[in-house]
Amino acid sequence: MSVFETIKNRRSTGKMTAQVPTRQQVEQLLEAATHAPNHHKVEPWQFIVLAGNARAELGQVMADSLARRLAENPPEKAEAVLAKERNKLLRSPVVIVAVAEQPTQANVLEIENIEAVAAAVENMLLTGEEMGLACMWRTGDAAYDPHVKRWLGLTPEDHIVAFVYVGFPAIPKLERHPTAIANKTTWLGWQE
Ligand SMILES: Cc1cc2nc3c(=O)[nH]c(=O)nc-3n(C[C@H](O)[C@H](O)[C@H](O)COP(=O)(O)O)c2cc1C
């Protein structure tokens, strides 16, 4: 498959089977991530791979944190809401947390570190597509939660750019029909 075909074929896949990708497959995704463009060559990414019980443990941290947020104004069916949060990371056998570090050099911009990690995440998604894996980039409130970051060994200033859910597809892919480039592009100085 050409890169162009892989890009067009890639879809977020929300439902995955219980089959666990091999360590080698996960390492290939991570290696792809580390080839992403990054300004000043600071390689501002860190990855945390969650599998097995680690997913449930972090899910509990996420649910506890949500419970604290909801404490003042608990919704109806709060227990169901918390159970959903607790089980979120169990939707795939592996979850890769992609983190952007804070700049440590004066010439490095925080936003550019985040952009570089976003590029690294896309590299993972495209490589996963080529390997026949199912991948899904997710964030949600948990990505910005200091308790979640602390459990992962991160500082509050680190940015969780993605929870990349990784597994094997349990559902067929739907077609994507992006808005035509004519509606998204301004051509300046182009002569033809
Ligand atoms: C920064 C970012 C955060 C995202 N967070 C979520 C999320 O929390 N939940 C979710 O279902 N999808 C999330 N997505 C995936 C998008 O929903 C998905 O890319 C979009 O629907 C387009 O579908 P496609 O990836 O199959 O083209 C996120 C994507 C990005 C780039």
Side-chain angles (χ1 to χ4, degrees):
M1 246 193 299
S2 71
V3 173
F4 188 55
E5 281 168 329
T6 305
I7 288 169
K8 294 218 287 186
N9 286 339
R10 182 206 61 78
R11 289 306 316 262
S12 296
T13 304
K15 277 206 183 349
M16 302 180 190
T17 68
Q19 185 185 349
V20 184
T22 64
R23 172 96 175 205
Q24 199 185 11
Q25 286 173 316
V26 175
E27 285 179 351
Q28 195 168 334
L29 299 183
L30 295 169
E31 190 180 343
T34 63
H35 284 270
N38 61 103
H39 202 178
H40 303 294
K41 299 200 173 89
V42 290
E43 302 180 30
W45 36 73
Q46 270 185 52
F47 306 104
I48 301 158
V49 181
L50 304 171
N53 282 346
R55 296 167 306 150
E57 286 172 32
L58 182 55
Q60 186 62 53
V61 173
M62 286 161 51
D64 291 346
S65 207
L66 180 58
R68 276 191 292 271
R69 267 181 267 137
L70 297 176
E72 279 200 3
N73 202 0
E76 254 184 70
K77 303 191 179 150
E79 195 37 56
V81 171
L82 295 178
K84 188 171 174 209
E85 188 74 7
R86 196 176 301 118
N87 292 325
K88 267 188 178 167
L89 298 170
L90 304 179
R91 289 176 292 186
S92 69
V94 173
V95 179
I96 302 172
V97 188
V99 180
E101 298 167 341
Q102 277 294 316
T104 53
Q105 299 166 211
N107 59 343
V108 176
L109 301 179
E110 182 175 9
I111 189 172
E112 294 195 345
N113 278 3
I114 296 167
E115 289 161 349
V117 177
V121 169
E122 178 71 352
N123 276 7
M124 285 198 265
L125 302 187
L126 294 176
T127 302
E129 171 65 32
E130 192 180 59
M131 293 165 69
L133 296 170
C135 294
M136 177 110 188
W137 180 337
R138 295 187 192 264
T139 50
D141 290 344
Y144 314 108
D145 187 315
H147 301 282
V148 168
K149 291 184 187 180
R150 189 178 319 128
W151 189 87
L152 289 166
L154 304 172
T155 69
E157 292 74 34
D158 289 324
H159 295 285
I160 295 177
V161 174
F163 293 106
V164 183
Y165 286 60
V166 183
F168 290 89
I171 48 170
K173 279 187 205 168
L174 297 173
E175 270 184 50
R176 182 202 290 114
H177 298 286
T179 303
I181 57 170
N183 297 328
K184 292 285 185 182
T185 312
T186 306
W187 302 73
L188 300 175
W190 184 263
Q191 290 174 358
E192 201 165 70

